[in-house]
Amino acid sequence: HLLPRAIARARRSDGMIALFYLDVDQFKDINDTFGHLAGDTTLETITQCMRRALPENAVIGRLSGDEFAAFIDDLPPVEDVEDALQGLARNLLAEIAEPFNVQASEVYVTASLGIAIYPQHADNVIDLLRNADAALYSAKKAGGNRHVFYDSALNEAAVERLLMKSRLRRSFERDELLLEYQPKYDLSTGQVTGAEALVRWHSPDIGRIQPSDFIPLAEETNLIVEIGEWVIDRGSADLARWQDTSGSPGRIAINLSLKQLRQRNFFNSVSKIFQRHGIKPTDIEFEITESTLAEDIGRTVQILETLSAYGLQLAIDDFGTGYSSLTALQKFPIKTLKIDRSFVTNAADDANDAAIIRAVIDMSRSLHLDVVAEGIETQAQLEFLRALKCDYGQGMLFGEPMEAESLTRRLLEQQDGTDQHRSLLA
Ligand code: C2E
Ligand code: MG
Ligand code: MG
């Protein structure tokens, strides 16, 4: 109500308006970790920060849940306006980042901020809000706790994202996605003891696209559920073939996304796929990231208990990069920890990363969990991990992820002792 009026006034007087669009980073975590009272207090604290950091005549509103907006209409002359707004934005985010107390806990939150200016970035309410929102999205994407000014390239990026999403859907419907496998080695024997299925997209229009670019797109829509189901189906089919011919490569690990796990009929659809291909649930391992575990813990425990009772093994992927709640390791029926590649990369020459790996391996041993080191690229990293008696490893040192046929060849070589990778582990 107030913004269109302010715009009309600015139009008559050649004035400017800055719109701030603010969203709390990981607000859900605060509710989940500290409870709803802490969530409410956080929202109140944020409004106080906005009151304090913004000029007195700023109009401040809450748009929904943890989203706030504010507009300011008596701005300095054009030459100075960006500087002035930069200063305001920095102060505001710094105020919000100050820790505060809720009952006995010290709570620390950050927020992200998108800024759009009338008339420079938009000349009506709808575009101004949309553009501030696009800037906010970009601030979030860059990791949060920052402000971003709108720029027309941001809308182009949004259009590009939409285009990519429809390309991905089309590719999926035309069965153009592929699965590759990365073998997992037993570091004490040098044997392949499993393989991780990794989805691949070669678009006929634009070539190879990395999973780290298209999985998040798929996750923004329900497409990730369909792709995920396809991966389970294809992985099961490949495994059934290996079991019939070249001997089993061991357990196949499949990455799950949160959305998939949250499907009501997830368990049924998984068990149907296994039955159709005649494979046992004990032949499959699901990989779940820490952030997936952190959401809605009660419900997640239930689903994972069901899967585990069925015989499926569960692994925590990229361990060490998210909120590693150690209690989660006890609460969830987890069998395996996969140490994130970032620690392995520097393990051989960075004392801190080495210490983390050592600690994770020790802890896993006490908790009777298996440990897999991800992303082994050099012989030095391999030696370091073997010295610590790390159970399993994967990585480019043993070759790039490969198509099913190549893995078949490698399994056969292993059977007749001509496998070259064994010498790495001699
Ligand atoms: P992730 O599950 O942690 O998979 C390991 C990633 O590390 C893979 O990247 C793999 O190619 C890469 N990698 C393995 N060894 C090395 C190494 O020695 N050096 C380096 N630099 N990289 C190595 P990729 O295939 O690009 O997949 C990225 C992520 O995308 C995966 O991380 C996983 O989170 C996700 N993803 C892949 N396939 C699926 C899928 O079918 N479903 C879901 N939900 N996510 C998937
Ligand atoms: Mg994985
Ligand atoms: Mg990983």
Side-chain angles (χ1 to χ4, degrees):
H1 262 319
L2 296 177
L3 186 56
R5 279 197 234 162
I7 289 181
R9 268 200 311 277
R11 192 168 285 138
R12 283 195 299 273
S13 63
D14 273 338
M16 282 191 295
I17 299 172
L19 178 67
F20 282 26
Y21 205 135
L22 182 138
D23 186 288
V24 183
D25 297 331
Q26 270 110 36
F27 182 61
K28 224 183 145 305
D29 285 351
I30 297 181
N31 273 328
D32 289 350
T33 315
F34 299 105
H36 286 268
L37 175 64
D40 291 350
T41 309
T42 303
L43 296 176
E44 285 164 14
T45 308
I46 298 230
T47 58
Q48 287 156 13
C49 293
M50 292 181 82
R51 271 269 75 102
R52 271 202 303 275
L54 297 178
E56 206 158 340
N57 66 339
V59 176
I60 300 175
R62 179 176 171 206
L63 299 187
S64 68
D66 64 340
E67 287 183 11
F68 297 87
F71 68 85
I72 306 160
D73 64 358
D74 61 342
L75 293 172
V78 188
E79 322 69 270
D80 305 327
V81 80
E82 284 234 349
D83 278 350
L85 293 174
Q86 296 268 17
L88 280 179
R90 286 210 185 96
N91 283 345
L92 173 57
L93 294 182
E95 284 251 2
I96 291 174
E98 288 287 320
F100 58 93
N101 288 306
V102 180
Q103 292 164 324
S105 315
E106 189 163 69
V107 177
Y108 172 85
V109 288
T110 58
S112 299
L113 190 58
I115 304 172
I117 301 170
Y118 167 91
Q120 190 182 325
H121 298 146
D123 67 356
N124 61 72
V125 180
I126 292 177
D127 289 347
L128 195 63
L129 273 165
R130 191 198 57 201
N131 291 347
D133 187 35
L136 170 63
Y137 180 86
S138 153
K140 286 259 171 210
K141 211 135 190 196
N145 192 22
R146 70 192 66 212
H147 69 276
V148 168
F149 280 93
Y150 174 73
D151 179 314
S152 60
L154 293 178
N155 269 340
E156 284 155 26
V159 169
E160 179 61 21
R161 268 210 326 282
L162 273 178
L163 258 176
M164 284 293 275
K165 274 189 208 173
S166 61
R167 279 195 193 109
L168 178 58
R169 171 159 287 285
R170 213 169 41 226
S171 274
F172 176 67
E173 281 163 359
R174 292 180 184 161
D175 202 19
E176 288 169 356
L177 297 190
L178 301 169
L179 259 201
E180 287 188 346
Y181 293 90
Q182 180 171 47
K184 183 175 86 181
Y185 281 84
D186 181 325
L187 298 186
S188 61
T189 64
Q191 293 268 352
V192 174
T193 55
E196 175 173 6
L198 296 163
V199 66
R200 294 290 176 258
W201 178 25
H202 299 255
S203 157
D205 320 331
I206 42 180
R208 234 185 132 101
I209 300 124
Q210 297 303 320
S212 47
D213 290 328
F214 74 81
I215 296 282
L217 287 180
E219 271 171 349
E220 284 175 27
T221 65
N222 259 339
L223 189 53
I224 191 64
V225 174
E226 294 172 60
I227 292 181
E229 194 172 315
W230 175 84
V231 170
I232 298 174
D233 185 68
R234 185 55 53 93
S236 304
D238 287 340
L239 178 63
R241 201 152 11 85
W242 279 313
Q243 289 177 338
D244 284 347
T245 55
S246 42
S248 168
R251 237 176 239 113
I252 298 297
I254 291 173
N255 294 285
L256 288 191
S257 89
L258 180 64
K259 267 216 170 121
Q260 237 179 315
L261 200 61
R262 284 294 144 79
Q263 291 293 301
R264 249 171 231 300
N265 58 355
F266 180 66
F267 176 73
N268 287 336
S269 88
V270 167
S271 58
K272 268 204 207 99
I273 294 174
F274 292 171
Q275 277 162 22
R276 188 161 66 237
H277 295 290
I279 63 163
K280 298 196 294 290
T282 45
D283 292 334
I284 301 287
E285 179 166 34
F286 282 148
E287 297 190 1
I288 300 156
T289 59
E290 288 172 314
S291 47
T292 301
L293 288 179
E295 283 213 23
D296 198 352
I297 292 182
R299 220 170 115 203
T300 310
V301 169
Q302 236 177 18
I303 302 167
L304 297 186
E305 291 284 358
T306 312
L307 295 174
S308 166
Y310 180 51
L312 280 154
Q313 295 221 354
L314 302 169
I316 302 188
D317 204 352
D318 307 340
F319 186 73
T321 55
Y323 275 106
S324 326
S325 153
L326 296 181
T327 49
L329 297 181
Q330 292 184 306
K331 252 186 230 150
F332 295 108
I334 295 296
K335 189 73 189 24
T336 305
L337 293 187
K338 300 190 73 176
I339 304 179
D340 190 63
R341 190 169 82 215
S342 55
F343 301 109
V344 175
T345 303
N346 303 319
D349 35 48
D350 179 309
N352 289 330
D353 285 345
I356 290 176
I357 292 191
R358 199 171 291 125
V360 172
I361 292 175
D362 282 349
M363 177 183 71
S364 307
R365 201 163 289 136
S366 328
L367 293 172
H368 306 290
L369 300 172
D370 290 338
V371 191
V372 182
E374 299 186 297
I376 306 175
E377 290 178 346
T378 67
Q379 190 77 38
Q381 291 162 355
L382 176 63
E383 294 315 324
F384 173 82
L385 291 160
R386 292 183 81 199
L388 292 179
K389 300 220 162 17
C390 178
D391 306 312
Y392 306 103
Q394 321 174 196
M396 301 297 188
L397 181 63
F398 309 106
E400 304 259 334
M402 57 193 89
E403 291 190 14
E405 294 71 48
S406 309
L407 183 56
T408 307
R409 264 198 304 282
R410 189 166 292 193
L411 292 171
L412 291 172
E413 283 165 7
Q414 181 168 280
Q415 272 173 14
D416 37 271
T418 51
D419 179 14
Q420 297 159 10
H421 298 87
R422 195 179 310 227
S423 64
L424 290 169
L425 292 127

